[in-house]
């Protein structure tokens, strides 16, 4: 029997990889899209006609109720969010309404219309913030360092609460940073990959950056969406850390990206206070042994391969002028 899935945030990085993955598994995929002055289908252009589009917004419960009524999903993946940490300081209320309260709206729509649907919440390693232990695992206490991290923490606990209160099959994936050529241009990996490519092609001559000492546990988004699906295929709902198990500095990221195009990053990078955050998450390093053991999930793309894949993609895009 064909399964159906409703994805919020389907136009984003993860949504596009997840939609591809589910379409390959013959799911009927419904994608929630919000109204924007100029529609942006860049990440899903190649599968746009295979997705059933539903107009709605995470801040509008009535639209989510309609989305669940129309899609009658077996699985709901709540990936929609204001996901850029830096924007969460100048826009803390919008971040809270979308990234925190949007989760309750989506859970309520499922509870009211189709409580048997399995629910995935996109939780984040940003919740660990000022880390209380290293490596971080499912039981590590949270200490968010941004309005985004605080909003995700609310989304995480409301998901756990709906599981415990209403016996819903609700899972929360605590995903560490994951990247790809489809990453938004403002995130550090894409910003660096694109700049290395543009400098190499003579289209740019400097790169303005913030804190180069921050350490992140970076993996490939295409690997991580498989973990989301695996969580919903289990007999019982639970929460899982998904990570690469390695940590690297932003400086190492610069080193690999610029080396790939035969340049020295030190000749181009300028530190600009504008990109330094009011409070930083200094170090993230995840322990995903639970996911490896129970879900059989594993990472396929390593850090260097990931960065080089992103630079290569930006070399091609910039050379074509896209
Ligand atoms: P992304 O590329 O920024 O995508 C975010 C998606 O949310 C976009 O499709 C966006 O739509 C949609 N959205 C924003 N506001 C919305 C609203 N009010 N109503 C409905 N949809 C809305 O993010 P991503 O990297 O794919 O991440 C997916 C999810 O995982 C997010 O919840 C993120 O916070 C979380 N997460 C990401 C990472 C990571 O490293 N990537 C790690 C942990 C957790 P538009 O296209 O219209 O903007
Ligand atoms: O790429 P970033 O903006 O990602 P960040 O803040 O770690 O958040 C991402 O991962 C989270 C999971 O841990 C997700 F939940 C979240 O939605 C998002 O996907 O920044 C990474 C690091 C930070 O420490 C930042 O201060 O890079 C540092 N950095 C240094 N210079 C910079 C820059 N970040 C950006 N975006 N731009 C810079 O110029």
């Amino acid at each position: 029997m064909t399964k159906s899935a409703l994805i919020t945030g389907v136009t984003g990085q993860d949504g596009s990889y997840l939609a591809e993955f589910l379409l390959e598994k013959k799911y009927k995929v419904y994608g929630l899209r919000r109204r924007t002055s100029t529609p942006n289908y860049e990440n899903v252009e190649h599968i746009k006609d295979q997705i059933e589009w539903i107009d709605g917004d995470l801040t509008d419960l009535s639209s989510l109720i309609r989305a669940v009524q129309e899609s009658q999903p077996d699985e709901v993946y709540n990936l929609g969010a204001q996901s850029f940490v830096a924007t969460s300081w100048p826009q803390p209320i919008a971040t809270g309404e979308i990234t925190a309260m949007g989760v309750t709206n989506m859970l309520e729509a499922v509870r009211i219309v189709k409580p048997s649907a399995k629910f995935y919440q996109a939780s984040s390693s940003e919740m660990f913030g000022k880390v209380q232990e290293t490596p971080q695992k499912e039981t590590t206490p949270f200490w968010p360092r941004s309005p985004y991290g605080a909003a995700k923490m609310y989304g995480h606990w409301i998901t756990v609460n709906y599981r415990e209160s209403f016996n819903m099959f609700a899972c929360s994936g605590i995903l560490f940073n994951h990247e790809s050529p489809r990453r938004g241009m403002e995130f550090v990996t894409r910003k660096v990959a694109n700049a290395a490519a543009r400098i190499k092609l003579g289209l740019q001559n400097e790169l303005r950056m913030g804190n180069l000492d921050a350490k992140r546990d970076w993996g490939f988004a295409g690997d991580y969406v498989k973990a989301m699906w695996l969580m919903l295929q289990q007999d019982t709902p639970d929460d899982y850390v998904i990570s690469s198990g390695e940590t690297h500095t932003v400086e190492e990221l610069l080193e690999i990206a610029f080396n790939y195009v035969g340049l020295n990053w030190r000749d181009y990078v300028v530190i600009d206070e504008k990109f330094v955050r009011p409070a930083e998450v200094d170090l993230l390093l995840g322990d995903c042994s639970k996911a490896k053991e129970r879900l059989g999930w594993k990472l396929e793309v390593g850090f260097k391969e990931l960065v080089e894949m992103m630079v290569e993609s930006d070399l091609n895009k910039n050379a074509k002028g896209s």
Side-chain angles (χ1 to χ4, degrees):
M1 235 178 56
T2 308
K3 278 193 185 176
S4 69
L6 171 64
I7 306 176
T8 74
V10 71
T11 53
Q13 171 188 255
D14 291 8
S16 67
Y17 283 107
L18 179 66
E20 262 173 29
F21 178 76
L22 295 178
L23 286 167
E24 274 167 27
K25 291 202 168 296
K26 307 287 177 224
Y27 275 64
K28 185 156 189 177
V29 174
Y30 292 84
L32 190 83
R33 68 178 164 201
R34 60 175 172 160
R35 197 265 162 187
T36 50
S37 63
T38 311
N40 175 15
Y41 294 109
E42 196 181 330
N43 288 332
V44 284
E45 201 60 65
H46 58 300
I47 48 170
K48 189 173 167 227
D49 297 341
Q50 297 172 65
I51 296 173
E52 306 286 333
W53 292 97
I54 302 179
D55 294 321
D57 194 294
L58 283 169
T59 58
D60 183 334
L61 174 61
S62 65
S63 72
L64 302 180
I65 288 177
R66 260 186 285 108
V68 180
Q69 279 169 340
E70 195 178 322
S71 56
Q72 290 296 320
D74 297 296
E75 297 169 10
V76 175
Y77 295 88
N78 187 39
L79 310 186
Q82 189 302 93
S83 73
F84 188 44
V85 172
T87 292
S88 76
W89 280 281
Q91 297 181 29
I93 296 167
T95 301
E97 283 170 352
I98 301 166
T99 306
M101 204 48 76
V103 186
T104 309
N105 286 339
M106 199 60 244
L107 281 163
E108 272 294 275
V110 173
R111 186 185 69 80
I112 292 164
V113 181
K114 195 159 186 245
S116 63
K118 294 180 171 183
F119 184 90
Y120 173 85
Q121 169 56 20
S123 287
S124 164
S125 51
E126 268 291 305
M127 301 187 302
F128 296 122
K130 187 172 169 185
V131 296
Q132 300 299 292
E133 65 175 339
T134 297
Q136 297 85 49
K137 49 185 186 283
E138 290 80 4
T139 50
T140 303
F142 300 135
W143 190 314
R145 294 273 281 169
S146 63
Y148 169 84
K152 279 289 176 190
M153 200 171 140
Y154 172 85
H156 175 80
W157 283 116
I158 199 71
T159 301
V160 173
N161 183 263
Y162 269 54
R163 178 167 80 218
E164 293 177 353
S165 305
F166 304 115
N167 205 22
M168 282 169 59
F169 195 109
C171 299
S172 170
I174 307 173
L175 271 51
F176 282 64
N177 298 51
H178 45 280
E179 321 290 316
S180 74
R182 299 183 196 167
R183 191 53 144 151
M185 206 57 96
E186 69 273 43
F187 297 92
V188 77
T189 50
R190 184 73 195 282
K191 181 173 167 176
V192 167
N194 191 46
R198 288 178 63 80
I199 291 171
K200 179 69 183 173
L201 295 169
L203 300 169
Q204 185 174 325
N205 50 30
E206 70 167 23
L207 170 60
R208 303 190 84 81
M209 300 281 299
N211 174 18
L212 306 189
D213 297 327
K215 289 183 163 177
R216 288 291 180 278
D217 177 325
W218 277 296
F220 172 53
D223 289 341
Y224 286 43
V225 298
K226 293 179 189 162
M228 300 175 184
W229 177 78
L230 282 169
M231 286 178 213
L232 299 197
Q233 311 315 307
Q234 305 307 302
D235 293 335
T236 48
D238 207 341
D239 309 320
Y240 297 88
V241 157
I242 302 296
S243 64
S244 77
E246 280 181 23
T247 191
H248 299 275
T249 58
V250 173
E251 191 173 309
E252 284 175 78
L253 162 69
L254 284 163
E255 194 83 39
I256 296 175
F258 279 74
N259 271 352
Y260 186 72
V261 293
L263 299 173
N264 182 347
W265 66 269
R266 291 176 199 278
D267 295 336
Y268 305 96
V269 170
V270 176
I271 301 301
D272 185 336
E273 283 301 309
K274 196 168 84 184
F275 296 107
V276 176
R277 297 175 179 182
E280 178 64 286
V281 172
D282 296 318
L283 161 77
L284 290 175
L285 174 60
D287 172 357
C288 67
S289 3
K290 180 175 166 185
K292 281 184 179 160
E293 279 160 29
R294 301 205 194 157
L295 305 178
W297 178 81
K298 64 175 191 316
L299 188 83
E300 281 168 28
V301 179
F303 179 58
K304 184 164 181 280
E305 192 186 342
L306 169 67
V307 177
E308 293 182 347
M309 174 209 302
M310 292 177 71
V311 180
E312 184 63 37
S313 163
D314 278 323
L315 280 168
N316 290 329
K317 284 182 187 168
N318 281 289
K320 280 191 221 138
S322 59

